[in-house]
Amino acid sequence: MTTAASRPVAVALLASVFVVAACGLVYELAAGALASYVLGDSVLQFSTIIGTYLFAMGVGSWLSRYFERQLPAHFLRIELLVALVGGALPAVLFIANAWTPDAFRLLLYGLVLLVGTLVGLEIPLVMRILKRDVALKDLVSQVLTFDYLGALAVSVAFPLLLVPQLGLVRTGLLFGFMNAAVALWALWLFRHELRRFGAHALACGLTLAVLATGFVGADRITTLAEDRFYQDRAVFSEQTPYQRIVVTHGRAGHRLYLNGNLQFAEHDEYRYHEALVHPAMAAHGAPRKVAVLGGGDGMAVREILKYPTVEQVTLVELDPAMTRLFRDHEALAALNGHALRSPKVTVVNTDAFRWLEDTREIFDVVVVDFPDPTNFSIGKLYTNSFYAMLDRHLAASGYAVVQSTSPLLARQSFWTVVQTIESVGLQTAPYHAHVPSFGEWGFVLAGRRPWRLPAQLPEGLRFLDVAGVAPLFDFPRDMARVPAEVNRLSNQVLVNLYEDEWGKARP
């Protein structure tokens, strides 16, 4: 047996450390992203995924002591296992969420434990192989340097390049392919040491073929899972740096989902958007400047443009893919009456929190139509800090309206939003409307003057009329006000409260 005590082998193995570190972190990030999509609360999910993964890596490092002979052969086999399990992880979880949602959490953490253990075995084995021709003091520093560099590279590329361009499924398979390529490289480097070279070569070839096939068929895998999960056929899907956008179409028309959560259904979205917009707009009397924060689908803008006094609408939407989709896709643009093409509308693609900090504009009406506070990045948009900035951009006679989740299914969360808005000195008028796709849904009107019942509404509304506005502000006993805390930026009680209430409400 010859020992590969050459400088080229050492360099090749150190390069492999870079790839191995990058691949391992991709699998960890993919698991965390999918967990936050499906289970909510991104901070909790990423924290538990990272903790589980690091624990499993520790287990793998401890187990490496039992690998004593044929280290290159063990390293090659482990790389192939990591390639298959890690590379397939996003696809498997997507399918599991669609077909066996009850098993998703168990499968998620089982795969994280398995991949983490295998990744934990890799570096100790590489170090022991390198020990044959690299001094210990240089060995540790070199291996850790390449390990950290690989982690840095992929931590930047994952959210900015990989997921937006490839999606989670293809990203996982691509890095699985890279793990398999490392195994193939090890097969060549240590060809003189491997006892069953033919079997190892066949295993490498089969693994690469499986991953390549999965990569080519990734769209089919995603479509199969999403069609099953959403019931209706997915007619559009895109993974952006901010969220996964899916539009489906069935008997009831189009539906929009963000990260798996329904945002609107075509057959009844008018009830939601009329209730959101018109109590504030009509009560103002003659609004000229209006801002919409969130609401990138343009439905709220459609309702606002029904007022002839409106001269300017500023739509602030974080994700440019949303506003582009609902401006350029003919079927979807038709739903908002091509509102995003109106010369009165200015689209600003940025974070609403930052935009309020920077802008000096004052508005007659501000419509706040963010997704529910399922995680802390959205939860900051429901804090007293956000509402204090909102107050500074309201005209003295202006109104803001905030969508505020269900006062029936998330009663405490709804009144927490009310309490938080009132904590900055604004007067509130909470109300609710029934939207069949969502159930009983809540809104909060806010301003420096009391809200007044509008004398008239625009013509052509399908849900609201003047007589029907006042009953929206009456709350039955099971939705009546309860004591609530203020949701602060430093302590976002609303996110955990929301997750707890909706967790109990889900069947």
Side-chain angles (χ1 to χ4, degrees), residues 84-152:
L84 285 172
V85 179
L89 182 145
V92 170
L93 291 177
F94 259 120
I95 293 170
N97 183 50
W99 291 83
T100 57
D102 292 340
F104 178 85
R105 193 185 299 266
L106 178 64
L107 185 60
L108 168 69
Y109 285 97
L111 286 173
V112 169
L113 281 169
L114 178 56
V115 173
T117 301
L118 292 170
V119 171
L121 285 165
E122 291 173 313
I123 299 302
L125 291 180
V126 169
M127 292 181 71
R128 287 166 62 186
I129 295 170
L130 282 169
K131 188 179 177 182
R132 298 183 295 192
D133 62 313
V134 179
L136 181 62
K137 66 181 182 68
D138 296 326
L139 172 63
V140 175
S141 65
Q142 290 176 3
V143 168
L144 292 181
T145 297
F146 278 86
D147 184 58
Y148 296 151
L149 285 174
L152 172 64

Side-chain angles (χ1 to χ4, degrees), residues 390 394 398-402 421 426-429 444-449:
L390 182 63
L394 268 183
Y399 290 114
V401 60
V402 181
I421 294 173
L426 290 169
Q427 299 184 53
T428 65
V444 183
L445 262 162
R448 297 175 195 159
R449 59 171 174 154

Side-chain angles (χ1 to χ4, degrees), residues 347-403:
V347 175
V348 181
N349 293 124
T350 190
D351 178 77
F353 199 100
R354 182 181 303 170
W355 181 78
L356 281 180
E357 286 181 319
D358 295 340
T359 189
R360 295 183 179 180
E361 292 192 78
I362 303 297
F363 297 93
D364 298 312
V365 175
V366 179
V367 177
V368 183
D369 191 18
F370 297 130
D372 280 1
T374 54
N375 57 60
F376 291 103
S377 61
I378 300 175
K380 73 178 183 181
L381 304 173
Y382 288 82
T383 60
N384 60 344
S385 299
F386 180 82
Y387 295 133
M389 289 192 294
L390 182 63
D391 179 28
R392 293 197 293 270
H393 296 287
L394 268 183
S397 60
Y399 290 114
V401 60
V402 181
Q403 92 78 13

Side-chain angles (χ1 to χ4, degrees), residues 198-410:
H200 289 305
L202 178 62
C204 287
L206 290 174
T207 301
L208 288 167
V210 168
L211 292 168
T213 301
F215 190 88
V216 172
D219 288 340
R220 186 174 181 83
I221 294 171
T222 304
T223 300
L224 176 68
E226 289 181 338
D227 284 351
R228 170 73 179 185
F229 179 77
Y230 297 113
Q231 303 301 317
D232 293 333
R233 181 173 59 90
V235 294
F236 176 88
S237 62
E238 181 179 352
Q239 178 66 55
T240 78
Y242 309 103
Q243 59 200 347
R244 181 158 187 81
I245 303 171
V246 175
V247 178
T248 66
H249 187 267
R251 292 182 179 179
H254 292 89
R255 294 174 185 259
L256 170 68
Y257 296 86
L258 300 180
N259 293 338
N261 298 311
L262 179 66
Q263 302 303 303
F264 76 73
E266 181 180 348
H267 72 281
D268 62 7
E269 59 80 16
Y270 68 92
R271 295 177 67 96
Y272 173 88
H273 290 103
E274 288 183 15
L276 172 69
V277 169
H278 294 295
M281 290 287 292
H284 183 279
R288 295 186 305 106
K289 290 183 64 177
V290 182
V292 179
L293 310 183
D297 53 40
M299 307 298 184
V301 177
R302 177 196 66 203
E303 299 301 318
I304 290 166
L305 291 176
K306 292 177 180 178
Y307 291 81
T309 60
V310 171
E311 299 172 359
Q312 175 188 330
V313 181
T314 303
L315 172 61
V316 183
E317 163 64 47
L318 177 63
D319 194 344
M322 274 288 293
T323 49
R324 185 173 59 249
L325 174 65
F326 281 88
R327 182 196 63 206
D328 298 339
H329 190 291
E330 282 303 321
L332 299 178
L335 297 181
N336 62 40
H338 303 284
L340 300 187
R341 302 178 188 177
S342 169
K344 294 182 179 181
V345 177
T346 300
V347 175
V348 181
N349 293 124
T350 190
D351 178 77
F353 199 100
R354 182 181 303 170
W355 181 78
L356 281 180
E357 286 181 319
D358 295 340
T359 189
R360 295 183 179 180
E361 292 192 78
I362 303 297
F363 297 93
D364 298 312
V365 175
V366 179
V367 177
V368 183
D369 191 18
F370 297 130
D372 280 1
T374 54
N375 57 60
F376 291 103
S377 61
I378 300 175
K380 73 178 183 181
L381 304 173
Y382 288 82
T383 60
N384 60 344
S385 299
F386 180 82
Y387 295 133
M389 289 192 294
L390 182 63
D391 179 28
R392 293 197 293 270
H393 296 287
L394 268 183
S397 60
Y399 290 114
V401 60
V402 181
Q403 92 78 13
S404 309
T405 197
S406 171
L408 179 63
L409 298 178

Side-chain angles (χ1 to χ4, degrees), residues 170-181:
R170 274 206 173 97
T171 295
L173 291 164
L174 173 64
F175 278 79
F177 199 88
M178 291 170 65
N179 267 125

